[in-house]
Amino acid sequence: MERWTDLGQVPALTRSVVTIGNFDGVHRGHRSVLGAMVADARRLGGTSVAVTFDPHPAQVHRPEEAPPLITGLADRLELLAETGLDATLVVHYTPEFAAQEPEVFVRRYLVDALRAAVVVVGRDVRFGRQNSGDLATMVALGETYGFEVQVISDVHGGPDPVRRWSSTWVRELLAVGDVGGAAEILGRPHRVRGVVVRGDARGRELGFPTANLGADLQGMVPADGVYAGWMRRVGHPADAPDGYLPVAVSIGTNPTFDGHERRVEAHVPDRTDLELYGEEVVLELVEMLRPTWRFDSVEALVAQMHDDVARTRARLSGGPLRTGSAEPGW
């Protein structure tokens, strides 16, 4: 998949099938639409393009109310590429960009740059200055500039078959630690990405060395607790030795030691030889094993950690869930 961050990078296209959105999480609803769009582009002999935004518009217009992002930009682009898209145009979202009139945006981006033959949107599409453009606006502009507008229907399923798949629903589930429910909507385990930094080495002293992710990690951190999951070392093939490893992940403030800083730490069972400092890793969270607890003694904590690791081994014994699977099992 080609990745463009400026209109000047867009090559001369003959025709394209374009969709527009934030695609936070790239969940199964997104992928069903993108998959159909890719098929349409193949049928027309055109280029399939997703137009997305960075930062999220809410972070620009109302940063104090902006939702946490399910995925950072790196993972969003990686997941979009897996849908078979030919290209993604990442628009740097600024107040100046948002101030464009709807027709200016459509003419400049969809018509002149991308040569859109088909534009795929939802019924609630809004665009242009103060969100003044809507579905009727897009249809009228399509008639003016010669592109077809396809309206996508909501996709339903997951833990509540009546509710449509949405990024909002995924955030709600992650906020209570239900990473299994989130995986049903995402079609994959939820992931966070970050660089391994040095911690206080307390885990190593207790016999459970951990990879600590820095505070600038990407992806929504779910509720405090202990999770079974997988660690992918970015830059290592997933099938290479030590490229993809089972982990027990602790999220919280270490209340047994009166901690105050919220941390994400991953322990690889049965391994004390890994040196991961400075590496970028992706943690895929499969299941919450328990909430965070405060223990009366270090001995009680260590006993529980042994149990956490044993449960992690058992939970992950069937191997990882691959992106795109519709099954929640492993």
Side-chain angles (χ1 to χ4, degrees):
M1 183 185 76
E2 294 188 56
R3 301 174 183 182
W4 308 319
T5 57
D6 185 87
L7 291 183
Q9 298 173 348
V10 179
L13 302 177
T14 303
R15 63 172 65 184
S16 68
V17 178
V18 182
T19 191
I20 309 163
N22 293 304
F23 306 111
D24 188 23
V26 195
H27 54 66
R28 289 167 65 185
H30 293 142
R31 289 209 305 276
S32 68
V33 171
L34 293 167
M37 191 186 98
V38 168
D40 283 347
R42 300 287 184 273
R43 177 175 53 83
L44 294 172
T47 304
S48 54
V49 183
V51 178
T52 191
F53 308 100
D54 184 58
H56 192 289
Q59 294 176 321
V60 174
H61 293 298
R62 49 184 191 283
E64 69 286 347
E65 301 175 9
L69 293 181
I70 299 167
T71 49
L73 181 60
D75 283 299
R76 195 187 341 162
L77 291 173
E78 187 175 280
L79 291 163
L80 286 171
E82 291 173 1
T83 68
L85 280 168
D86 294 311
T88 298
L89 173 60
V90 182
V91 176
H92 181 51
Y93 195 90
T94 64
E96 292 74 24
F97 171 83
Q100 294 179 102
E101 295 297 334
E103 184 170 1
V104 172
F105 165 72
V106 166
R107 185 178 66 247
R108 184 182 180 197
Y109 284 82
L110 306 187
V111 177
D112 293 345
L114 298 177
R115 303 293 179 186
V118 179
V119 176
V120 181
V121 295
R123 293 188 181 279
D124 58 354
V125 64
R126 303 306 293 253
F127 60 101
R129 180 192 292 271
Q130 298 181 339
N131 279 334
S132 56
D134 59 11
L135 178 58
T137 310
M138 187 67 79
V139 170
L141 291 171
E143 293 173 352
T144 298
Y145 291 105
F147 59 81
E148 175 189 352
V149 176
Q150 290 187 358
V151 182
I152 58 174
S153 301
D154 292 339
V155 183
H156 301 262
D160 180 352
V162 177
R163 187 174 180 181
R164 74 181 181 94
W165 283 322
S166 69
S167 302
T168 297
W169 193 6
V170 174
R171 293 188 193 102
E172 291 173 3
L173 293 167
L174 294 177
V176 296
D178 187 359
V179 294
E184 289 190 55
I185 301 169
L186 293 170
R188 57 174 177 83
H190 173 60
R191 61 176 65 169
V192 295
R193 176 188 296 252
V195 175
V196 178
V197 300
R198 293 190 181 276
D200 51 25
R202 185 174 288 119
R204 184 174 295 276
E205 293 170 2
L206 298 176
F208 298 87
T210 59
N212 302 276
L213 270 59
D216 58 349
L217 62 83
Q218 299 179 48
M220 181 176 169
V221 178
D224 289 0
V226 176
Y227 296 80
W230 298 90
M231 177 169 66
R232 173 164 59 90
R233 299 170 70 181
V234 177
H236 291 66
D239 57 354
D242 295 341
Y244 207 73
L245 298 163
V247 285
V249 180
S250 173
I251 298 174
T253 60
N254 293 325
T256 302
F257 297 97
D258 297 320
H260 299 287
E261 180 184 351
R262 195 166 187 241
R263 297 181 177 181
V264 178
E265 307 173 82
H267 168 70
V268 182
D270 309 311
R271 298 293 297 271
T272 60
D273 58 322
L274 294 170
E275 292 293 339
L276 302 173
Y277 295 122
E279 282 196 33
E280 185 179 21
V281 300
V282 174
L283 301 181
E284 299 179 351
L285 304 175
V286 172
E287 181 180 299
M288 178 191 263
L289 302 177
R290 63 172 176 87
T292 297
W293 295 325
R294 180 186 179 92
F295 294 88
D296 294 333
S297 68
V298 172
E299 291 75 16
L301 170 61
V302 170
Q304 182 61 56
M305 292 168 75
H306 279 290
D307 184 66
D308 294 338
V309 169
R311 292 180 65 195
T312 296
R313 290 194 197 97
R315 183 63 184 86
L316 303 179
S317 60
L321 173 69
R322 290 306 184 189
T323 300
S325 170
E327 299 297 329
W330 277 259

